Amino acid sequence: MIDYRLGEEYEALRKTVQDFARSEVAPVIGGYYEREEFPYDLVAGMGAMGLFGLPFPEEFGGMGGDYFALCLALEELARVDSSVAVTLEAGVSLGAMPIFRFGTREQQEHWLPALCSGEALAAFGLTEPGGGSDAGATRTTARLDDGHWVVNGSKSFITNSGTKLTRLITVTAVTGTRPDGGKEISTIILPSGTPGLTVAPRYSKVGWNASDTHELSFADCHVPAENLLGERGRGYAQFLSTLDEGRIAIAAIGVGLAQGCVDECVRYAGEREAFGHRIGEYQAIQFKIADMETRAHTARLAYYAAASKMLRGEPFKKEAAIAKLVSSNAAMDNARDATQIFGGYGFMNEFPVGRFYRDAKILEIGEGTSEIQRMLIARSLGVGAGAR
Protein backbone atom coordinates (compact mmCIF):
# COMPACT_ATOMS: atom_id res chain seq x y z
CA MET A 1 0.00 0.00 0.00
CA ILE A 2 1.34 3.43 -0.95
CA ASP A 3 0.89 6.03 1.78
CA TYR A 4 2.03 9.63 1.33
CA ARG A 5 1.03 10.73 4.82
CA LEU A 6 3.82 11.92 7.09
CA GLY A 7 4.56 9.89 10.21
CA GLU A 8 3.92 11.42 13.62
CA GLU A 9 7.53 12.53 14.17
CA TYR A 10 7.83 14.09 10.73
CA GLU A 11 4.50 15.88 11.14
CA ALA A 12 5.45 17.17 14.59
CA LEU A 13 8.71 18.53 13.19
CA ARG A 14 6.96 20.13 10.23
CA LYS A 15 4.44 21.86 12.51
CA THR A 16 7.15 23.06 14.90
CA VAL A 17 9.18 24.63 12.10
CA GLN A 18 6.03 26.09 10.56
CA ASP A 19 5.20 27.80 13.86
CA PHE A 20 8.75 29.14 14.14
CA ALA A 21 8.70 30.45 10.57
CA ARG A 22 5.39 32.22 11.02
CA SER A 23 5.94 33.61 14.51
CA GLU A 24 9.67 34.38 14.52
CA VAL A 25 10.81 34.73 10.90
CA ALA A 26 7.86 36.36 9.16
CA PRO A 27 7.58 39.48 11.37
CA VAL A 28 11.24 40.50 11.03
CA ILE A 29 12.70 39.05 7.85
CA GLY A 30 11.59 41.95 5.64
CA GLY A 31 13.83 44.30 7.61
CA TYR A 32 16.83 42.00 7.37
CA TYR A 33 16.20 41.64 3.64
CA GLU A 34 16.09 45.38 3.04
CA ARG A 35 19.22 45.97 5.13
CA GLU A 36 20.97 43.00 3.47
CA GLU A 37 21.80 41.85 6.98
CA PHE A 38 22.51 38.31 8.16
CA PRO A 39 19.85 37.23 10.72
CA TYR A 40 22.02 35.98 13.56
CA ASP A 41 19.12 35.83 16.02
CA LEU A 42 17.05 33.64 13.70
CA VAL A 43 20.03 31.35 13.10
CA ALA A 44 20.47 31.07 16.86
CA GLY A 45 16.81 30.16 17.15
CA MET A 46 17.16 27.43 14.54
CA GLY A 47 20.24 26.17 16.37
CA ALA A 48 18.37 26.02 19.67
CA MET A 49 15.64 23.98 17.95
CA GLY A 50 18.26 21.49 16.74
CA LEU A 51 17.62 22.14 13.04
CA PHE A 52 21.32 22.25 12.12
CA GLY A 53 21.75 18.81 13.68
CA LEU A 54 18.65 17.18 12.21
CA PRO A 55 20.29 14.49 10.01
CA PHE A 56 23.29 13.74 12.22
CA PRO A 57 23.76 11.11 14.96
CA GLU A 58 23.35 12.08 18.59
CA GLU A 59 26.97 11.13 19.30
CA PHE A 60 28.04 14.25 17.39
CA GLY A 61 25.40 16.47 18.95
CA GLY A 62 22.82 15.84 16.26
CA MET A 63 19.13 15.03 16.53
CA GLY A 64 19.40 11.49 15.15
CA GLY A 65 17.01 12.23 12.30
CA ASP A 66 17.46 11.90 8.55
CA TYR A 67 17.79 13.96 5.40
CA PHE A 68 14.05 13.98 4.75
CA ALA A 69 13.51 15.65 8.13
CA LEU A 70 15.89 18.40 7.00
CA CYS A 71 13.91 18.80 3.77
CA LEU A 72 10.63 19.19 5.65
CA ALA A 73 12.19 21.93 7.78
CA LEU A 74 13.54 23.68 4.69
CA GLU A 75 10.16 23.61 2.97
CA GLU A 76 8.40 25.23 5.92
CA LEU A 77 11.06 27.92 6.29
CA ALA A 78 10.97 28.72 2.57
CA ARG A 79 7.20 29.18 2.69
CA VAL A 80 8.06 32.35 4.60
CA ASP A 81 11.61 33.22 3.49
CA SER A 82 14.30 31.62 1.36
CA SER A 83 17.30 33.44 2.83
CA VAL A 84 16.81 31.74 6.19
CA ALA A 85 16.08 28.42 4.48
CA VAL A 86 19.23 28.47 2.34
CA THR A 87 21.34 29.40 5.36
CA LEU A 88 20.19 26.17 7.00
CA GLU A 89 20.47 24.16 3.77
CA ALA A 90 24.02 25.28 3.03
CA GLY A 91 25.07 24.93 6.65
CA VAL A 92 23.91 21.32 6.77
CA SER A 93 24.01 19.73 3.31
CA LEU A 94 27.03 21.63 1.97
CA GLY A 95 28.83 22.55 5.18
CA ALA A 96 28.52 19.84 7.79
CA MET A 97 27.46 16.87 5.65
CA PRO A 98 30.82 16.47 3.81
CA ILE A 99 32.57 16.31 7.21
CA PHE A 100 30.13 13.62 8.31
CA ARG A 101 30.20 11.66 5.04
CA PHE A 102 33.92 11.75 4.30
CA GLY A 103 35.75 12.98 7.39
CA THR A 104 37.94 10.97 9.73
CA ARG A 105 36.66 10.21 13.19
CA GLU A 106 38.94 12.92 14.55
CA GLN A 107 37.59 15.48 12.05
CA GLN A 108 34.00 14.54 12.88
CA GLU A 109 34.55 14.86 16.61
CA HIS A 110 36.37 18.16 16.19
CA TRP A 111 33.94 19.94 13.88
CA LEU A 112 30.48 18.38 14.02
CA PRO A 113 29.31 19.24 17.57
CA ALA A 114 29.55 22.99 16.97
CA LEU A 115 28.07 22.64 13.47
CA CYS A 116 25.15 20.56 14.73
CA SER A 117 24.33 23.09 17.45
CA GLY A 118 24.34 26.02 15.04
CA GLU A 119 27.06 27.70 17.06
CA ALA A 120 29.29 27.39 13.99
CA LEU A 121 28.76 27.31 10.23
CA ALA A 122 30.75 25.61 7.49
CA ALA A 123 30.93 26.53 3.81
CA PHE A 124 31.53 24.46 0.68
CA GLY A 125 34.07 26.01 -1.71
CA LEU A 126 33.39 24.50 -5.14
CA THR A 127 32.42 27.11 -7.73
CA GLU A 128 35.16 29.25 -9.26
CA PRO A 129 34.97 32.55 -11.15
CA GLY A 130 35.77 30.89 -14.48
CA GLY A 131 34.12 27.55 -13.80
CA GLY A 132 30.40 27.79 -13.19
CA SER A 133 28.70 24.56 -14.26
CA ASP A 134 32.05 23.13 -15.39
CA ALA A 135 33.21 22.17 -11.90
CA GLY A 136 35.82 19.87 -13.40
CA ALA A 137 37.66 22.96 -14.65
CA THR A 138 38.94 23.63 -11.12
CA ARG A 139 42.03 25.85 -11.06
CA THR A 140 42.54 26.18 -7.31
CA THR A 141 45.58 24.10 -6.37
CA ALA A 142 46.89 22.44 -3.23
CA ARG A 143 50.39 20.98 -2.97
CA LEU A 144 52.01 19.10 -0.11
CA ASP A 145 55.02 20.85 1.37
CA ASP A 146 56.72 19.62 4.55
CA GLY A 147 53.56 18.09 6.02
CA HIS A 148 51.24 20.95 5.01
CA TRP A 149 48.88 21.64 2.14
CA VAL A 150 49.59 24.94 0.44
CA VAL A 151 46.39 26.21 -1.20
CA ASN A 152 46.21 28.87 -3.92
CA GLY A 153 43.27 30.02 -6.01
CA SER A 154 39.77 31.43 -5.62
CA LYS A 155 36.14 30.45 -5.24
CA SER A 156 32.94 32.38 -5.99
CA PHE A 157 29.33 32.49 -4.79
CA ILE A 158 30.13 30.67 -1.52
CA THR A 159 27.24 30.68 0.98
CA ASN A 160 27.89 31.09 4.73
CA SER A 161 31.55 31.86 4.06
CA GLY A 162 31.88 35.23 5.78
CA THR A 163 29.69 35.24 8.89
CA LYS A 164 30.86 35.62 12.47
CA LEU A 165 29.85 31.97 12.90
CA THR A 166 31.85 30.57 9.96
CA ARG A 167 34.51 28.17 11.28
CA LEU A 168 35.69 26.32 8.19
CA ILE A 169 35.48 26.07 4.42
CA THR A 170 35.97 22.81 2.55
CA VAL A 171 37.75 23.62 -0.70
CA THR A 172 38.09 21.49 -3.82
CA ALA A 173 41.56 21.82 -5.32
CA VAL A 174 43.82 20.20 -7.88
CA THR A 175 46.36 18.12 -5.94
CA GLY A 176 48.09 16.35 -8.82
CA THR A 177 47.59 14.49 -12.09
CA ARG A 178 45.69 11.24 -12.50
CA PRO A 179 47.24 8.29 -14.37
CA ASP A 180 45.03 9.13 -17.36
CA GLY A 181 46.41 12.67 -17.45
CA GLY A 182 43.34 14.32 -15.96
CA LYS A 183 43.23 16.51 -12.89
CA GLU A 184 43.46 14.87 -9.48
CA ILE A 185 40.95 16.82 -7.39
CA SER A 186 40.87 16.56 -3.61
CA THR A 187 39.06 18.39 -0.81
CA ILE A 188 40.94 20.37 1.84
CA ILE A 189 39.56 21.81 5.09
CA LEU A 190 40.51 25.46 5.58
CA PRO A 191 39.64 26.84 9.03
CA SER A 192 38.43 30.44 9.10
CA GLY A 193 41.25 32.84 9.84
CA THR A 194 43.87 30.77 8.03
CA PRO A 195 46.61 33.18 6.91
CA GLY A 196 46.26 33.88 3.20
CA LEU A 197 42.49 33.26 3.19
CA THR A 198 40.71 36.45 2.11
CA VAL A 199 36.94 36.88 2.24
CA ALA A 200 35.81 39.53 -0.22
CA PRO A 201 32.96 41.93 0.62
CA ARG A 202 29.55 40.34 0.37
CA TYR A 203 27.92 40.29 -3.04
CA SER A 204 25.13 42.68 -3.96
CA LYS A 205 22.50 40.14 -5.01
CA VAL A 206 19.13 40.15 -6.72
CA GLY A 207 17.67 37.84 -4.08
CA TRP A 208 18.49 35.85 -0.93
CA ASN A 209 19.48 39.24 0.50
CA ALA A 210 19.48 38.08 4.11
CA SER A 211 21.90 35.23 3.39
CA ASP A 212 25.69 35.43 3.37
CA THR A 213 27.58 35.01 0.07
CA HIS A 214 31.18 35.89 -0.76
CA GLU A 215 34.07 35.35 -3.14
CA LEU A 216 37.13 33.78 -1.51
CA SER A 217 40.78 33.88 -2.45
CA PHE A 218 43.67 31.75 -1.21
CA ALA A 219 47.28 32.93 -1.26
CA ASP A 220 49.70 30.28 0.06
CA CYS A 221 47.25 29.09 2.71
CA HIS A 222 49.10 26.51 4.84
CA VAL A 223 47.08 23.84 6.65
CA PRO A 224 48.22 20.48 8.08
CA ALA A 225 48.24 17.45 5.79
CA GLU A 226 45.60 15.96 8.13
CA ASN A 227 43.14 18.55 6.79
CA LEU A 228 42.59 16.43 3.69
CA LEU A 229 38.90 15.54 3.68
CA GLY A 230 38.30 12.01 2.47
CA GLU A 231 40.61 10.15 0.13
CA ARG A 232 43.12 12.05 -1.96
CA GLY A 233 41.93 12.28 -5.56
CA ARG A 234 38.31 11.60 -4.62
CA GLY A 235 37.28 15.22 -4.25
CA TYR A 236 35.40 15.30 -7.55
CA ALA A 237 33.37 12.21 -6.64
CA GLN A 238 32.74 13.60 -3.17
CA PHE A 239 31.30 16.89 -4.39
CA LEU A 240 29.13 15.11 -6.98
CA SER A 241 27.66 13.04 -4.16
CA THR A 242 27.24 16.17 -2.05
CA LEU A 243 25.42 17.95 -4.87
CA ASP A 244 23.09 15.01 -5.50
CA GLU A 245 21.91 15.20 -1.89
CA GLY A 246 21.86 18.99 -1.95
CA ARG A 247 19.56 19.03 -4.96
CA ILE A 248 16.85 17.34 -2.93
CA ALA A 249 17.25 20.00 -0.26
CA ILE A 250 17.13 22.81 -2.83
CA ALA A 251 14.01 21.16 -4.28
CA ALA A 252 12.40 21.37 -0.86
CA ILE A 253 13.19 25.10 -0.74
CA GLY A 254 11.66 25.49 -4.20
CA VAL A 255 8.50 23.72 -3.05
CA GLY A 256 8.34 25.93 0.02
CA LEU A 257 8.62 29.09 -2.05
CA ALA A 258 6.00 27.81 -4.51
CA GLN A 259 3.63 26.96 -1.66
CA GLY A 260 4.30 30.29 0.03
CA CYS A 261 3.12 32.00 -3.15
CA VAL A 262 -0.12 30.01 -2.96
CA ASP A 263 -0.57 30.92 0.71
CA GLU A 264 -0.18 34.62 0.02
CA CYS A 265 -2.44 34.60 -3.04
CA VAL A 266 -5.25 32.70 -1.31
CA ARG A 267 -5.22 35.27 1.48
CA TYR A 268 -5.02 38.22 -0.88
CA ALA A 269 -7.76 36.90 -3.17
CA GLY A 270 -10.11 36.84 -0.19
CA GLU A 271 -9.30 40.43 0.81
CA ARG A 272 -8.63 42.45 -2.32
CA GLU A 273 -11.61 43.94 -4.14
CA ALA A 274 -11.79 45.07 -7.76
CA PHE A 275 -14.85 46.19 -9.75
CA GLY A 276 -17.12 45.61 -6.77
CA HIS A 277 -16.04 42.02 -6.02
CA ARG A 278 -13.27 40.23 -4.19
CA ILE A 279 -10.81 39.13 -6.82
CA GLY A 280 -11.10 35.51 -5.68
CA GLU A 281 -14.57 35.49 -7.19
CA TYR A 282 -13.12 35.90 -10.67
CA GLN A 283 -12.46 32.68 -12.53
CA ALA A 284 -9.22 34.02 -14.00
CA ILE A 285 -7.76 34.35 -10.48
CA GLN A 286 -9.21 31.00 -9.39
CA PHE A 287 -7.59 29.20 -12.31
CA LYS A 288 -4.25 30.89 -11.78
CA ILE A 289 -4.17 29.90 -8.09
CA ALA A 290 -5.29 26.36 -8.98
CA ASP A 291 -2.35 26.06 -11.38
CA MET A 292 -0.01 27.35 -8.68
CA GLU A 293 -1.23 24.77 -6.17
CA THR A 294 -0.87 22.04 -8.79
CA ARG A 295 2.76 22.98 -9.41
CA ALA A 296 3.61 23.03 -5.71
CA HIS A 297 1.88 19.69 -5.10
CA THR A 298 3.60 17.99 -8.03
CA ALA A 299 7.02 19.32 -7.05
CA ARG A 300 6.53 18.13 -3.49
CA LEU A 301 5.84 14.60 -4.68
CA ALA A 302 9.02 14.75 -6.76
CA TYR A 303 11.29 15.61 -3.85
CA TYR A 304 9.49 13.14 -1.55
CA ALA A 305 10.23 10.40 -4.11
CA ALA A 306 13.89 11.38 -4.42
CA ALA A 307 14.34 11.52 -0.65
CA SER A 308 12.64 8.15 -0.28
CA LYS A 309 15.10 6.48 -2.65
CA MET A 310 18.02 8.18 -0.94
CA LEU A 311 16.96 6.96 2.50
CA ARG A 312 16.52 3.41 1.18
CA GLY A 313 20.09 3.46 -0.10
CA GLU A 314 19.00 3.22 -3.74
CA PRO A 315 20.47 5.25 -6.63
CA PHE A 316 18.70 8.60 -6.69
CA LYS A 317 20.71 10.88 -9.01
CA LYS A 318 17.97 11.02 -11.66
CA GLU A 319 15.21 11.56 -9.13
CA ALA A 320 17.18 14.34 -7.43
CA ALA A 321 17.67 16.06 -10.78
CA ILE A 322 13.97 15.73 -11.60
CA ALA A 323 12.99 17.11 -8.19
CA LYS A 324 15.34 20.05 -8.51
CA LEU A 325 14.18 20.85 -12.06
CA VAL A 326 10.47 20.55 -11.32
CA SER A 327 10.59 22.49 -8.05
CA SER A 328 12.69 25.36 -9.41
CA ASN A 329 10.30 25.67 -12.34
CA ALA A 330 7.35 25.66 -9.94
CA ALA A 331 8.94 28.31 -7.76
CA MET A 332 9.70 30.62 -10.67
CA ASP A 333 6.29 30.16 -12.30
CA ASN A 334 4.40 30.61 -9.03
CA ALA A 335 6.40 33.69 -8.09
CA ARG A 336 5.60 35.26 -11.45
CA ASP A 337 1.89 34.44 -11.15
CA ALA A 338 1.74 35.61 -7.53
CA THR A 339 3.28 38.94 -8.48
CA GLN A 340 0.70 39.30 -11.24
CA ILE A 341 -2.18 38.56 -8.86
CA PHE A 342 -0.90 41.16 -6.41
CA GLY A 343 -0.47 43.70 -9.20
CA GLY A 344 1.42 46.82 -8.14
CA TYR A 345 1.71 45.57 -4.58
CA GLY A 346 3.53 42.50 -5.86
CA PHE A 347 6.26 44.83 -7.10
CA MET A 348 6.82 46.21 -3.60
CA ASN A 349 9.49 44.63 -1.42
CA GLU A 350 7.32 45.07 1.68
CA PHE A 351 5.10 42.25 0.42
CA PRO A 352 6.40 38.67 0.63
CA VAL A 353 5.63 37.92 -3.01
CA GLY A 354 8.08 40.64 -4.05
CA ARG A 355 10.82 38.82 -2.15
CA PHE A 356 9.62 35.47 -3.50
CA TYR A 357 9.95 36.77 -7.06
CA ARG A 358 13.51 37.95 -6.42
CA ASP A 359 14.46 34.74 -4.62
CA ALA A 360 13.01 32.27 -7.12
CA LYS A 361 15.44 32.73 -10.00
CA ILE A 362 18.54 31.46 -8.19
CA LEU A 363 16.80 28.12 -7.68
CA GLU A 364 17.16 27.53 -11.42
CA ILE A 365 20.91 28.19 -11.15
CA GLY A 366 22.37 27.16 -7.77
CA GLU A 367 23.59 23.60 -7.12
CA GLY A 368 23.33 22.80 -10.81
CA THR A 369 21.50 24.84 -13.44
CA SER A 370 18.27 23.61 -15.01
CA GLU A 371 20.31 22.74 -18.10
CA ILE A 372 22.60 20.53 -16.02
CA GLN A 373 19.57 18.77 -14.52
CA ARG A 374 18.19 18.06 -17.98
CA MET A 375 21.56 16.70 -19.04
CA LEU A 376 21.70 14.38 -16.01
CA ILE A 377 18.16 13.14 -16.65
CA ALA A 378 18.87 12.49 -20.34
CA ARG A 379 22.08 10.61 -19.55
CA SER A 380 20.27 8.44 -17.01
CA LEU A 381 17.95 7.40 -19.84
CA GLY A 382 20.86 6.46 -22.07
CA VAL A 383 20.75 9.59 -24.19
CA GLY A 384 23.80 11.72 -24.96
CA ALA A 385 27.51 11.71 -24.13
CA GLY A 386 28.46 9.83 -20.99
CA ALA A 387 25.13 7.98 -20.91
CA ARG A 388 24.99 4.71 -19.07
Side-chain angles (χ1 to χ4, degrees), residues 3-12 14 68 72 303-304:
D3 190 348
Y4 291 98
R5 293 174 298 178
L6 296 177
E8 290 184 7
E9 292 187 3
Y10 285 138
E11 180 58 31
R14 189 199 66 79
F68 183 60
L72 291 176
Y303 98 71
Y304 275 26

Side-chain angles (χ1 to χ4, degrees), residues 33 82-83 86 159 202 205-213 250 253 257 355 358-360 362-363 366:
Y33 202 94
S82 292
S83 292
V86 79
T159 305
R202 62 182 296 156
K205 298 175 292 187
V206 171
W208 284 0
N209 283 358
S211 70
D212 179 80
T213 318
I250 288 292
I253 292 178
L257 191 155
R355 297 198 308 272
R358 294 171 65 178
D359 290 339
I362 188 60
L363 297 172

Side-chain angles (χ1 to χ4, degrees), residues 230-373:
E231 182 182 345
R232 178 170 177 169
R234 293 287 296 168
Y236 192 82
Q238 288 173 196
F239 77 65
L240 288 180
S241 174
T242 298
L243 290 180
D244 284 340
E245 295 181 356
R247 284 167 184 149
I248 302 177
I250 288 292
I253 292 178
V255 170
L257 191 155
Q259 193 66 60
C261 289
V262 176
D263 297 340
E264 292 297 319
C265 288
V266 168
R267 178 190 58 77
Y268 191 70
E271 298 174 354
R272 174 70 168 171
E273 291 189 0
F275 303 102
H277 298 275
R278 292 179 179 175
I279 64 172
E281 297 178 29
Y282 296 111
Q283 196 173 70
I285 300 298
Q286 296 169 10
F287 283 7
K288 196 176 289 290
I289 293 176
D291 286 342
M292 292 166 63
E293 174 69 8
T294 299
R295 295 185 196 115
H297 178 79
T298 303
R300 183 178 296 108
L301 294 179
Y303 98 71
Y304 275 26
S308 177
K309 293 198 73 172
M310 174 187 171
L311 295 184
R312 291 197 302 268
E314 300 174 6
F316 64 93
K317 181 184 290 287
K318 179 183 75 173
E319 288 74 15
I322 290 173
K324 206 272 189 179
L325 179 62
V326 170
S327 68
S328 59
N329 286 343
M332 195 67 204
D333 289 344
N334 278 18
R336 183 180 60 251
D337 283 352
T339 303
Q340 193 70 19
I341 288 173
F342 270 69
Y345 291 113
F347 202 61
M348 301 295 110
N349 283 325
E350 64 186 279
F351 286 84
V353 296
R355 297 198 308 272
F356 291 164
Y357 188 83
R358 294 171 65 178
D359 290 339
K361 182 57 189 177
I362 188 60
L363 297 172
E364 296 183 316
I365 299 171
E367 296 200 35
T369 63
S370 295
E371 290 74 18
I372 290 293
Q373 307 315 311

Side-chain angles (χ1 to χ4, degrees), residues 47-58:
M49 294 169 63
L51 300 189
F52 285 94
L54 272 174
F56 302 111
E58 295 178 5

